[in-house]
Amino acid sequence: MLVSASIEGHRLQARIDPGSESSTVSARIADQVDGRGAPHGAGSMLRRGRPMTIAMSGGTFPVEALAVAPSRPEAGGDFRIGRDILEGHVFDLDFRSRQIRMVLPYEYARATRRLIAVDLTPGPDGSWTFPASVGGKPVAATLRLSDPRGATIGLPSSANGGAPLVLAVGTTTLSISDVVRAAPADARAPVVLGLGAFDGRRVMLDLPHRLFWIDPRGSRAGGETGRSHRIRNGA
């Protein structure tokens, strides 16, 4: 997921990467933000005399330091947003309009009003397990937002017979056509959901409260405020 952001006013393209434990910045941006002329090598830390301001999707927040990445091999490599930042903020992901915005604290109650809350159990690799069911039978499903596919399943072939996977989550259902039948990457659960599972839907990633919110209507609800930024699937 690629979004527009800035660090201390320096505009850049950022990659949201739940699989990365820590956020990193490229040496090029670190040199620009620091402004003292001394180059920043891979593995060093970007620090200033005060917290740095990160801006994205209509909100700002401070960071004390950012690790300098070894290289910039791909789009969004100037700033990689890892779990250290994701776990401190709530993000509204609208896959119908391909937009993302940060939900500010005063907006939280209204933004979640018509959504369904799903409890998440964090894993060590940036994935989250949640309860679900297929064909009325309970399964443990895993949310892996670093995977662009819809779903990888290790269920018996009779579970969906090659048709779209219908996964019941809370009081709503997800019909997922992009299904790969193989041993899922997460051994804890027979169903692993990627970004493609939410095509056409609006969801909220609420890691501060260990929740994932799903809009049962399958489209963006009206009435929220704040500015959005386009999402691009950079995988």
Side-chain angles (χ1 to χ4, degrees):
M1 291 182 285
L2 304 178
V3 299
S4 298
S6 69
I7 303 175
E8 288 293 290
H10 295 271
R11 291 173 165 260
L12 45 76
Q13 191 176 59
R15 176 180 295 272
I16 294 180
D17 183 7
S20 295
E21 182 177 358
S22 301
S23 301
T24 60
V25 64
S26 70
R28 181 178 74 87
I29 293 297
D31 292 346
Q32 292 179 12
V33 172
D34 197 349
R36 294 181 296 180
H40 291 76
S44 64
M45 298 296 293
L46 171 62
R47 299 180 186 272
R48 305 192 76 186
R50 56 172 175 77
M52 295 173 288
T53 299
I54 306 294
M56 62 175 295
S57 58
T60 63
F61 54 92
V63 294
E64 295 289 340
L66 288 169
V68 178
S71 61
R72 185 174 180 264
E74 56 190 347
D78 272 330
F79 184 28
R80 184 179 293 269
I81 299 174
R83 296 198 301 275
D84 54 343
I85 289 178
L86 291 176
E87 291 181 357
H89 305 278
V90 180
F91 293 92
D92 188 326
L93 311 174
D94 188 340
F95 290 102
R96 183 180 183 185
S97 61
R98 303 191 70 79
Q99 294 182 335
I100 183 172
R101 60 183 295 275
M102 191 167 65
V103 178
L104 303 179
Y106 74 88
E107 301 174 299
Y108 185 82
R110 183 168 60 174
T112 58
R113 185 187 305 159
R114 298 178 180 177
L115 307 187
I116 294 170
V118 179
D119 291 316
L120 298 178
T121 300
D125 58 352
S127 64
W128 299 276
T129 302
F130 60 93
S133 65
V134 176
K137 297 181 179 179
V139 298
T142 291
L143 178 66
R144 189 181 295 275
L145 293 180
S146 56
D147 190 338
R149 294 174 294 186
T152 302
I153 62 175
L155 299 169
S157 58
S158 59
N160 71 335
L165 174 67
V166 178
L167 188 73
V169 183
T171 58
T172 191
T173 58
L174 299 173
S175 180
I176 307 165
S177 57
D178 178 15
V179 178
V180 176
R181 188 175 298 282
D186 193 324
R188 298 172 299 167
V191 178
V192 177
L193 300 187
L195 283 174
F198 307 100
D199 187 31
R201 281 189 180 262
R202 173 187 167 232
V203 298
M204 280 177 50
L205 185 62
D206 183 4
L207 297 188
H209 302 104
R210 294 293 188 263
L211 293 173
F212 189 68
W213 298 84
I214 301 177
D215 189 339
R217 295 165 294 175
S219 62
R220 183 176 178 82
E224 279 95 27
T225 61
R227 184 172 53 189
S228 301
H229 283 295
R230 289 287 176 182
I231 301 172
R232 271 207 306 124
N233 185 350

